[in-house]
Amino acid sequence: MEGGERLLPKGFPKLKNDTFLRAARGEETEHTPVWCMRQAGRYLPEFRETRAAQDFFATCRSPKLCCELTLQPLRRFPLDAAIIFSDILVVPQALGMEVVMVPGKGPTFTEPLKEVEDLLKLRQKVDVTAELGYVFQAITLTRHSLEGRVPLIGFSGAPWTLMSYMIEGGGSSTMAKAKSWLYRHPEASHQLLRLLADVITDYLVGQVAAGAQALQLFESHAGHLGPEQFQDFALPYIRDIAQAVKSKLKEEALPLVPMIIFAKDAHYALRDLAHAGYEVVGLDWTIRPQEARAQTGKDVTLQGNLDPCALYAPKEKIGELVKKMLEAFGTQRYIANLGHGLYPDMNPEHVGAFVEAVHAHSRHINKHS
């Protein structure tokens, strides 16, 4: 890419393993597909080596590096999907906010939103190709580089999660500043959430145009909201994004790709999320599979939900936990994953044990059912 010829989003290699896409659409699969949130990450020594001399967001802006980091876990493990290496905070950057990665602290906004008047500083119209074209280039390059091995997932943060970062200025255990906006400034909150939803819609459509074969929306901070606030400030925008993305994909004659909604700690909203227009509902590790099935019904695929910390267990124990999880979810209309992302100090061999256990146990269950 850099210094070379830019690949175009066409003439992609034929897909060899479509198990993930079939499961997402509710079609029968020979084995349960598996991928991991944060599968391209610091738990891999090759990731740390690639990232060593580079600023985090500079890495995100390099299609070549994003492609390399996306492919690294695929070289180690027989995963059934790749997810593009990027970050949810590229969207606030596209709106004109500065975000830097501070060592030991994480992503930090140099000037978070403090007053309603600060909304005027944001770009009200965002040309996603101009502002986020580097992500689209990374997707196109990666889709070609995957050579059809597995499908490529694109993603974005959801409006409430992005809003909370933009107001808090970084991570927070309470999200008190952001939640105070919902109570004190409901109209301004809706104004910001609508702006974000519109940009996210264009961003996700652009990812499909670039070559993404599925999309995941991360409502990572859903757990900070109660049922009423979720109904008012999160769910309407989650629904709107699914509807608007699908409508625009049709208008632009682009593939109607499966969409996944992952709203962490939003157990109270599972029924609503199952009817929000997404083919797949992602689950964190704090809900029983049977309960999730009962709440979501038979018309959506479920994804999740092994406790990430289970990967600290011995490999044999990981296998037992995977078997139990598969028996609880069933092997069909199901995509195995963790209940959140991989942690930096995890042993790559244990990640491999998780992936292999999903394939082995799901094939065994399918064969004997």
Side-chain angles (χ1 to χ4, degrees):
M1 292 288 295
E2 284 93 350
E5 190 177 338
R6 183 177 294 180
L7 292 168
L8 297 174
K10 59 184 181 182
F12 292 122
K14 183 175 167 54
L15 186 59
K16 298 166 190 168
N17 174 3
D18 66 348
T19 311
F20 164 80
L21 295 179
R22 283 189 285 127
R25 293 190 295 254
E27 298 167 14
E28 194 171 333
T29 59
E30 296 75 32
H31 68 268
T32 297
V34 56
W35 67 282
C36 299
M37 287 182 272
R38 293 197 190 131
Q39 68 188 24
R42 287 175 291 167
Y43 73 101
L44 291 176
E46 56 267 40
F47 176 96
R48 295 193 295 272
E49 191 177 321
T50 305
R51 281 265 302 107
Q54 188 83 295
D55 169 75
F56 177 79
F57 286 108
T59 302
C60 290
R61 288 188 291 272
S62 165
K64 190 176 177 182
L65 286 175
C66 288
C67 175
E68 167 60 21
L69 294 170
T70 303
L71 295 177
Q72 283 177 352
L74 274 294
R75 295 187 189 118
R76 278 186 179 253
F77 316 119
L79 295 152
D80 292 288
I83 184 165
I84 194 66
F85 177 82
S86 186
D87 193 86
I88 64 171
L89 298 182
V90 298
V91 171
Q93 287 177 333
L95 286 164
M97 297 189 79
E98 185 181 13
V99 192
V100 295
M101 192 62 73
V102 177
K105 185 180 178 186
T108 303
F109 286 71
T110 55
E111 291 185 37
L113 304 175
K114 292 178 181 173
E115 306 297 336
V116 170
E117 293 74 31
D118 291 340
L119 295 181
L120 298 172
K121 298 176 186 175
L122 300 176
R123 288 190 185 103
Q124 300 305 305
K125 290 285 182 188
V126 175
D127 179 342
V128 293
T129 303
E131 299 299 331
L132 296 166
Y134 58 87
V135 179
F136 303 154
Q137 292 168 34
I139 287 171
T140 300
L141 176 61
T142 306
R143 175 82 185 271
H144 280 291
S145 301
L146 277 166
E147 298 177 332
R149 193 181 323 171
V150 294
L152 178 61
I153 304 168
F155 70 91
S156 175
W160 155 247
T161 293
L162 295 181
M163 172 184 169
S164 62
Y165 273 117
M166 291 161 74
I167 294 171
E168 296 289 341
S172 163
S173 60
T174 62
M175 295 296 159
K177 291 178 189 172
K179 286 183 71 177
S180 77
W181 271 54
L182 305 183
Y183 287 106
R184 294 188 300 124
H185 311 302
E187 285 184 20
S189 295
H190 281 299
Q191 182 186 339
L192 175 55
L193 292 163
R194 170 49 53 204
L195 174 61
L196 284 163
D198 290 345
V199 175
I200 290 162
T201 296
D202 290 343
Y203 180 43
L204 291 174
V205 171
Q207 291 185 48
V208 176
Q213 292 154 288
L215 298 168
Q216 177 153 313
L217 190 68
F218 285 88
E219 190 68 283
S220 307
H221 296 167
H224 290 281
L225 301 176
E228 284 184 21
Q229 282 192 315
F230 189 85
Q231 285 281 344
D232 288 345
F233 297 102
L235 186 62
Y237 300 99
I238 288 169
R239 283 186 181 133
D240 287 355
I241 288 166
Q243 187 178 1
V245 166
K246 289 177 182 189
S247 177
K248 288 197 173 193
L249 291 176
K250 281 182 186 173
E251 281 172 26
E252 297 181 24
L254 290 165
L256 283 175
V257 303
M259 295 181 70
I260 307 162
I261 177 64
F262 175 66
K264 190 173 180 295
D265 296 322
H267 309 143
Y268 51 78
L270 280 181
R271 287 181 202 278
D272 290 322
L273 290 168
H275 296 96
Y278 294 76
E279 286 71 26
V280 183
V281 174
L283 305 166
D284 61 59
W285 69 91
T286 61
I287 188 162
R288 291 185 177 88
Q290 297 92 333
E291 190 180 328
R293 282 279 185 209
Q295 288 195 47
T296 55
K298 297 178 181 177
D299 295 330
V300 296
T301 294
L302 294 181
Q303 175 178 281
N305 74 335
L306 191 71
D307 181 353
C309 289
L311 297 194
Y312 294 121
K315 290 183 194 175
E316 307 74 43
K317 180 65 175 177
I318 293 170
E320 291 169 21
L321 293 168
V322 166
K323 182 172 181 282
K324 187 178 176 185
M325 182 174 77
L326 286 162
E327 287 169 348
F329 276 110
T331 59
Q332 301 299 320
R333 261 206 180 280
Y334 174 54
I335 297 163
N337 206 315
L338 304 175
H340 201 238
L342 288 161
Y343 300 147
D345 62 347
M346 285 179 164
N347 185 337
E349 289 185 12
H350 289 221
V351 177
F354 167 64
V355 173
E356 285 159 19
V358 170
H359 287 161
H361 286 301
S362 63
R363 284 194 175 105
H364 181 81
I365 292 168
N366 285 344
K367 192 176 177 182
H368 293 89
S369 61

